[in-house]
Amino acid sequence: MRDDTPEERRRVHLSRTFDEDAELYDRARPGYPPELFDDLTDVAGIGPGCRVLEVGAGTGKATVPLAERGCRITAVELGAAMAAVARRNLAGFETVEIVTADFETWPLPKEPFDAVVSATAFHWIDPAVRMARAADALRPGGALAVVATQHVAGGSEEFFIEVQNCYERFDPATPAGLRPPAAEDIDTSDHADEVARSGRFGPVVFRRYEWDLTYTTAEYLQVLRTYSGHRALPPEAREGLLECIARLVDRRYGGQVTKRYLTELRVSRTAPSLQ
């Protein structure tokens, strides 16, 4: 099970849940490894003066580091509350514009972009149009950079085995015996396949980063409250689940757990002959 492959029948509904508490999202969600942004410079050519279209900017978790690198950014965010927080977080950057709109129907500017960047958001965009829309927004030879993050085996491994009892009790959709996969077992070749099917881009360059983040019980519950699947649960089931998790962390793991993330950068460039 991958974190960036929502069921198509629930994609739109789940994608709307993030805007319900944008302030919590901004406080609780982690950012991205600094080396990812170094690789964006090396692989995608993103640097000072680069014209970037960000798709699904959220509260600006990736926008801020891009702005700090001197990019000129148009950031499109569907959620009005998320966009408002992003504007506050980016208020110090004159070269950043936050647009409240859905990328699928937003009128593309006449001037093409050097890069389209989407951090932990591209999977929420309609798969029927996202590749074509990204390509249409880019100049010949421009880069599409998609960032995806997965929860993988590592960190407090025993906790993530034990906590499945809570999920199976309060969320009947939880597969029995679910475990975080090993990083090397995460197969994201479906993105390369989608890029190839579009006929608009060249080969995909992949970069991967594994990193650990330790949470207190309260911090971990906060981040769980930002996840679409948790937010979509009935309130009674969601609160029961979180109480079960809190008891487990406090009683068995000393009030803190470490989660291992796998972040992947996927960069492909438009083919000039096809523009």
Side-chain angles (χ1 to χ4, degrees):
M1 180 177 288
R2 291 235 313 267
D3 297 332
D4 63 338
T5 54
E7 291 181 71
E8 183 56 25
R9 65 183 179 85
R10 302 183 70 207
R11 176 180 55 80
V12 173
H13 168 66
L14 292 176
S15 71
R16 302 299 194 266
T17 65
F18 303 111
D19 204 49
E20 295 169 354
D21 196 339
E23 295 290 352
L24 175 63
Y25 186 100
D26 192 52
R27 288 196 311 272
R29 283 292 183 106
Y32 300 95
E35 55 266 37
L36 181 149
F37 297 96
D38 295 336
D39 283 348
L40 272 173
T41 298
D42 295 340
V43 181
I46 291 176
C50 183
R51 192 160 182 266
V52 173
L53 170 61
E54 187 182 3
V55 178
T59 61
K61 294 289 183 180
T63 324
V64 171
L66 288 170
E68 289 173 342
R69 283 160 174 75
C71 297
R72 295 178 295 150
I73 305 167
T74 300
V76 178
E77 169 53 45
L78 174 63
M82 300 279 273
V85 175
R87 289 188 187 97
R88 183 187 69 208
N89 290 339
L90 275 300
F93 298 95
E94 295 181 355
T95 58
V96 177
E97 178 188 13
I98 310 294
V99 178
T100 306
D102 65 275
F103 176 63
E104 290 92 335
T105 61
W106 176 63
L108 294 174
K110 291 183 179 179
E111 182 184 354
F113 292 88
D114 299 308
V116 171
V117 176
S118 188
T120 321
F122 204 62
H123 55 286
W124 297 118
I125 307 300
D126 186 350
V129 301
R130 59 194 178 198
M131 283 296 168
R133 291 279 291 169
D136 289 344
L138 288 165
R139 63 168 173 80
L144 169 62
V146 173
V147 179
T149 298
Q150 320 282 342
H151 174 203
V152 296
S156 304
E157 291 199 67
E158 287 300 315
F159 164 75
F160 289 106
I161 293 173
E162 288 192 68
V163 79
Q164 287 307 307
N165 293 325
C166 296
Y167 283 94
E168 291 178 22
R169 177 181 172 189
F170 290 99
D171 182 3
T174 303
L178 185 66
R179 300 287 184 270
E184 57 268 24
D185 292 336
I186 295 284
D187 180 5
T188 56
S189 59
D190 57 321
H191 179 77
D193 294 340
E194 183 181 1
V195 168
R197 285 195 306 272
S198 76
R200 303 292 299 274
F201 296 92
V204 183
V205 176
F206 292 90
R207 294 285 187 273
R208 285 186 163 190
Y209 322 86
E210 287 186 60
W211 50 293
D212 290 347
L213 193 56
T214 298
Y215 296 96
T216 64
T217 303
E219 290 168 342
Y220 190 58
L221 294 188
Q222 281 199 327
V223 78
L224 291 180
R225 288 183 183 275
T226 71
Y227 291 162
S228 59
H230 292 67
R231 298 194 67 84
L233 287 172
E236 185 175 343
R238 181 173 61 248
E239 294 311 310
L241 171 63
L242 294 175
E243 288 173 12
C244 182
I245 294 171
R247 285 196 301 271
L248 180 62
V249 177
D250 285 338
R251 295 176 183 178
R252 298 267 294 145
Y253 294 90
Q256 69 176 35
V257 291
T258 298
K259 186 171 183 176
R260 178 161 298 173
Y261 293 94
L262 171 67
T263 298
E264 184 174 73
L265 173 63
R266 312 159 179 174
V267 178
S268 49
R269 289 186 177 274
T270 54
S273 62
L274 300 179
Q275 290 292 303

